[in-house]
Amino acid sequence: MTYYQPYPVQLQPQPKNGFGVTALVLGIIALLMGFIPFVSLFTSIPLGLLGVIFGIIGLVRVSKRVATNKVMTIFGLVASALAILLALTSSIATGAFIGSLGSEDSTTTSAPVADGDSARAQQEESEFDAFPGQTEDDVVGKAGEELAIRGVKITASEVTPKNDTFGNLVCSKVVLKNDGDSEVSYNVFDWKLQYPSGDIKDQSISGGDSLNSGEIAPGGTAEGDVCFEDNGEDGQYILISEGLFSFSSERGAWITER
């Protein structure tokens, strides 16, 4: 009796589908995170991009017959792409909504101002632009007004022509009052004059009661003339006290129209 030995049956290895499974898992997680505005920009989009990459690789493997489960891979690819779109859409929509709330609040709070408030606002704005070169720290007034500058109250009269031994000058009489509890210094070099042309000059030598340099005791005063060359210009003159040897950037400015 003859026996025949059967040939062994060789089972074909089942193709792997790891890339498709990974794409599907990443796509699902990215979709869930996509509903959280702004956070999804840093979670769903990176995960979605990885899911798309793994999905494409999985489809390539399926086309080469080295992987199965094409449907799962397609679902993973689609879910990952939708997650990216959802993250962008939710973040943009939420940002637009917040922006609209902010604009509504600003519209609500900017109620119409009364005529008096509007006039004061216009006056403050016009005062800030009182003369060319004015800064935010400047204290501005008309000639003859008393201004509090660097701890001293100073009054400066109009700039008027004066025939002097040293030539034709324009001068202003200034009075400095110390209302503080300690001595304050003043200096002749603190003063400048801005002409209508925009030219700014230092004091000129003059005779008479010129303002000198010194200190003022608490409750005391100092006064004198500050004079400059008269170039015959008509227009706006700005007498400026800037505290040359002071650490403060605050300046006083008195306006004279000639």
Side-chain angles (χ1 to χ4, degrees):
M1 189 177 205
T2 305
Y3 295 94
Y4 296 95
Q5 181 157 1
Y7 292 100
V9 178
Q10 296 181 352
L11 299 176
Q12 294 293 332
Q14 194 70 16
K16 297 180 179 180
N17 56 6
F19 285 101
V21 173
T22 304
L24 181 60
V25 172
L26 291 175
I28 293 174
I29 296 175
L31 273 176
L32 295 176
M33 299 294 293
F35 290 98
I36 306 176
F38 305 123
V39 176
S40 59
L41 295 175
F42 305 99
T43 56
S44 293
I45 291 181
L47 292 176
L49 290 174
L50 288 175
V52 170
I53 294 173
F54 281 114
I56 293 174
I57 295 175
L59 289 178
V60 172
R61 290 174 58 83
V62 169
S63 65
K64 293 181 178 180
R65 300 181 183 275
V66 294
T68 58
N69 214 337
K70 180 178 181 180
V71 175
M72 179 186 294
T73 306
I74 293 176
F75 278 153
L77 180 62
V78 172
S80 299
L82 289 177
I84 295 174
L85 293 177
L86 178 61
L88 293 173
T89 303
S90 63
S91 298
I92 293 174
T94 304
F97 177 72
I98 295 175
S100 65
L101 290 179
S103 62
E104 289 178 1
D105 291 341
S106 62
T107 303
T108 303
T109 54
S110 59
V113 296
D115 292 341
D117 295 338
S118 176
R120 283 193 296 271
Q122 291 179 359
Q123 181 180 3
E124 291 176 359
E125 182 178 358
S126 63
E127 286 179 354
F128 181 75
D129 297 328
F131 65 91
Q134 183 179 347
T135 68
E136 293 181 354
D137 294 330
D138 288 347
V139 181
V140 183
K142 295 181 180 179
E145 292 185 7
E146 182 181 77
L147 304 179
I149 309 155
R150 302 185 300 277
V152 182
K153 292 183 178 180
I154 306 177
T155 305
S157 67
E158 291 187 352
V159 175
T160 56
K162 177 182 179 181
N163 293 325
D164 190 83
T165 307
F166 296 93
N168 295 328
L169 304 175
V170 288
C171 300
S172 171
K173 183 178 184 61
V174 299
V175 179
L176 297 82
K177 297 180 181 179
N178 181 9
D179 290 338
D181 298 328
S182 59
E183 294 182 351
V184 294
S185 299
Y186 66 97
N187 197 295
V188 67
F189 298 106
D190 290 347
W191 297 88
K192 295 179 181 296
L193 182 66
Q194 180 171 315
Y195 292 78
S197 62
D199 188 16
I200 302 176
K201 294 184 178 181
D202 295 320
Q203 282 196 73
S204 298
I205 299 175
S206 65
D209 300 326
S210 298
L211 182 70
N212 296 313
S213 302
E215 294 182 343
I216 307 174
T221 62
E223 61 182 59
D225 293 338
V226 288
C227 297
F228 306 85
E229 177 187 351
D230 186 3
N231 57 12
E233 292 185 38
D234 292 328
Q236 187 184 69
Y237 285 79
I238 313 297
L239 181 64
I240 300 174
S241 174
E242 61 180 359
L244 181 63
F245 299 104
S246 171
F247 293 104
S248 173
S249 60
E250 188 177 53
R251 303 188 308 174
W254 291 264
I255 301 175
T256 298
E257 297 287 346
R258 289 184 58 194

